[in-house]
């Protein structure tokens, strides 16, 4: 009975707190910055100082002068912020917010994979643990992967971990053969050719934009394949009215803000309630948990310093190579 009363009282108290106002107050008082991924709930995206894809969020985490980074995404994203900004306190709303790709490979698995292929370079998707990054030569995001793979020595074969779908797409785009780890994203792997065909029959004029974590047959049907940020840019800049979006559905919030006149049709995943695709890990974060994380400065990402330094090397390589490649593209465009 006491337990029931306590739970009821806590729920009552939670209802009385204006989380948005409290988060605002704590952010100012503590000189905190709130970073959020496009897959977060709309109210979290709207209160964040910056919303982005994994690459842009890494850059923001590296350059912030805030004392606290409150990272609304999944745990590996908070770890990346801590690797790049070790002097900052990094808190996340829920330490249980993992990722099926991260869970598909441990550092021991990767050491064994490397032992089987001793002459290979290791290119690791950012959706991985700090321990796995520490065993890698290069880290990539979906937005930076092509530039990074193109910059690796051509005479060295590549092990790509942990996403086999992203890896297979990268093989095709870069022409580099890679040995792939069999990991998958539980959200994107649900997308099917049948679902696209059904929507295309209904909306034949719709353009299709998908994330490269999707299965090969789905990627092959798409007009655009790329990171979350690139999908938003594609919808904003493409002269079409309707778009089928093949990625986690909360991205629609940001696309609607940037292109309110476009019609967006989410590709259905395994979530029967919304006929769309939702990431259960990203959904663990709530405004209440963000408020508690800022208030209690917990749960905090803590990384052993020797491990952090080892993970920093491949991550910094990615940031440097992608910055150089972007600068080159900008200079070329300016000259045209
Ligand atoms: P982006 O790097 O494109 O934001 O993707 C992150 C992710 O987790 C996709 O499922
Ligand atoms: Fe991981 Fe997939 Fe969720 Fe992205 S959508 S965080 S890859 S489980």
């Amino acid at each position: 009975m006491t337990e029931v009363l306590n739970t009821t009282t806590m729920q009552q108290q939670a209802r009385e707190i204006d989380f948005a106002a409290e988060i605002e107050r704590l952010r100012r008082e503590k000189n905190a910055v709130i970073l959020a991924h496009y897959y977060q709930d709309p109210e979290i995206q709207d209160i964040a100082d910056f919303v982005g894809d994994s690459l842009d969020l890494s850059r923001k985490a590296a350059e912030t002068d805030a004392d606290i980074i409150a990272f609304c995404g999944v745990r590996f994203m908070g770890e990346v912020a801590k690797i790049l900004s070790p002097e900052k306190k990094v808190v996340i709303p829920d330490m249980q917010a993992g990722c099926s790709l991260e869970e598909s490979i441990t550092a021991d698995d990767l050491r064994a994979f490397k032992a089987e292929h001793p002459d290979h370079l290791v290119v690791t998707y950012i959706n991985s643990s700090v321990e796995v990054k520490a065993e890698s030569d290069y880290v990539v995001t979906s937005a930076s992967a092509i530039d990074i793979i193109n910059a690796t020595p051509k005479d060295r074969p590549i092990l790509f971990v942990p996403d086999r779908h992203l890896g297979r797409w990268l093989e095709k785009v870069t022409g580099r053969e890679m040995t792939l780890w069999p990991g998958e994203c539980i959200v994107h792997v649900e997308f099917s050719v049948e679902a696209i065909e059904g929507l295309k029959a209904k909306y034949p004029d719709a353009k299709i934009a998908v994330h490269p974590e999707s299965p090969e047959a789905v990627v092959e049907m798409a007009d655009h394949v790329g990171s979350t940020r690139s999908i938003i840019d594609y919808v904003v800049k493409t002269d079409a009215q309707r778009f089928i979006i093949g990625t986690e559905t909360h991205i629609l919030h940001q696309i609607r803000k940037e292109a309110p006149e476009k019609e967006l049709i989410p590709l259905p995943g395994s979530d029967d309630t919304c006929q769309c695709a939702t990431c259960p890990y990203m959904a663990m974060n709530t405004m209440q948990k963000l408020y508690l994380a800022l208030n209690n400065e917990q749960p905090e990402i803590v990384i052993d310093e020797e491990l952090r330094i080892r993970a920093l090397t491949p991550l910094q390589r990615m940031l440097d190579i992608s910055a150089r490649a972007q600068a080159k593209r900008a200079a070329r465009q300016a000259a045209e």
Side-chain angles (χ1 to χ4, degrees):
M1 185 62 182
T2 320
E3 210 166 276
V4 173
L5 277 179
N6 283 345
T7 310
T8 312
T9 313
M10 275 163 63
Q11 283 167 347
Q12 180 77 29
Q13 279 172 349
R15 267 198 296 276
E16 281 161 14
I17 296 174
D18 178 345
F19 292 120
E22 283 300 295
I23 290 166
E24 205 56 69
R25 176 181 67 77
L26 288 165
R27 169 183 20 218
R28 258 182 283 114
E29 277 177 19
K30 299 195 177 200
N31 187 30
V33 66
I34 301 170
L35 304 182
H37 191 267
Y38 295 123
Y39 293 169
Q40 292 292 279
D41 271 351
E43 47 183 354
I44 294 182
Q45 291 191 40
D46 288 346
I47 207 161
D49 295 282
F50 181 78
V51 190
D53 70 2
S54 307
L55 181 62
D56 289 335
L57 286 167
S58 307
R59 289 175 175 150
K60 280 284 167 199
E63 70 195 24
T64 183
D65 55 10
D67 295 317
I68 297 181
I69 300 174
F71 206 115
C72 302
V74 288
R75 192 180 49 241
F76 78 79
M77 296 178 177
E79 285 179 353
V80 167
K82 186 66 183 178
I83 296 167
L84 293 168
S85 278
E87 71 292 352
K88 309 280 187 307
K89 184 175 263 192
V90 179
V91 295
I92 59 175
D94 193 325
M95 203 49 107
Q96 302 307 314
C99 166
S100 64
L101 285 168
E102 177 194 339
E103 287 161 13
S104 74
I105 186 165
T106 64
D108 279 346
D109 293 333
L110 182 50
R111 278 189 285 269
F113 199 34
K114 288 190 332 182
E116 284 169 29
H117 305 276
D119 55 336
H120 285 52
L121 286 170
V122 179
V123 177
T124 296
Y125 192 27
I126 199 163
N127 295 38
S128 54
S129 67
V130 58
E131 289 82 4
V132 164
K133 290 184 177 77
E135 292 291 329
S136 308
D137 296 301
Y138 299 84
V139 167
V140 302
T141 66
S142 52
S144 64
I146 295 172
D147 287 334
I148 311 306
I149 290 169
N150 285 339
T152 61
K154 302 278 176 285
D155 58 339
R156 295 285 302 279
I158 293 173
L159 295 182
F160 186 84
V161 304
D163 187 357
R164 70 186 181 97
H165 295 295
L166 174 64
R168 187 245 330 114
W169 176 69
L170 289 167
E171 281 191 300
K172 201 165 174 194
V173 177
T174 63
R176 293 289 288 276
E177 217 175 282
M178 305 194 291
T179 305
L180 310 177
W181 186 259
E184 291 182 337
C185 161
I186 51 166
V187 179
H188 292 84
V189 80
E190 293 293 330
F191 294 146
S192 68
V193 168
E194 294 71 32
I196 298 187
E197 281 172 352
L199 289 173
K200 270 301 246 187
K202 227 167 146 184
Y203 310 105
D205 58 326
K207 296 278 182 203
I208 305 166
V210 306
H211 198 279
E213 290 172 10
S214 309
E216 182 169 15
V218 167
V219 165
E220 272 173 7
M221 295 177 84
D223 299 291
H224 173 81
V225 184
S227 76
T228 48
R229 180 65 240 173
S230 85
I231 290 174
I232 299 170
D233 289 340
Y234 175 73
V235 175
V236 170
K237 291 179 190 154
T238 303
D239 192 18
Q241 188 51 35
R242 272 202 190 114
F243 295 84
I244 296 168
I245 306 295
T247 192
E248 212 275 356
T249 195
H250 289 93
I251 195 176
L252 265 58
H253 179 64
Q254 189 64 29
I255 309 180
R256 286 192 183 113
K257 283 172 102 169
E258 296 190 32
E261 73 290 0
K262 306 274 167 114
E263 186 183 337
L264 309 175
I265 304 145
L267 196 51
S270 60
D271 192 333
D272 291 338
T273 55
C274 67
Q275 275 300 297
C276 62
T278 52
C279 173
Y281 304 102
M282 291 277 181
M284 287 178 180
N285 297 336
T286 60
M287 288 287 276
Q288 182 176 4
K289 288 183 192 169
L290 171 57
Y291 155 71
L292 289 171
L294 278 168
N295 192 59
N296 305 338
E297 300 183 18
Q298 289 284 346
E300 182 185 356
I301 302 277
V302 179
I303 301 175
D304 167 78
E305 184 57 9
E306 185 267 338
L307 178 65
R308 185 191 73 80
I309 304 260
R310 287 201 292 129
L312 177 62
T313 306
L315 198 52
Q316 192 61 51
R317 239 173 232 151
M318 170 187 78
L319 292 178
D320 294 345
I321 295 170
S322 68
R324 278 200 301 274
Q326 234 174 21
K328 250 193 212 164
R329 273 193 290 274
R332 220 179 298 131
Q333 267 168 11
E336 276 167 16

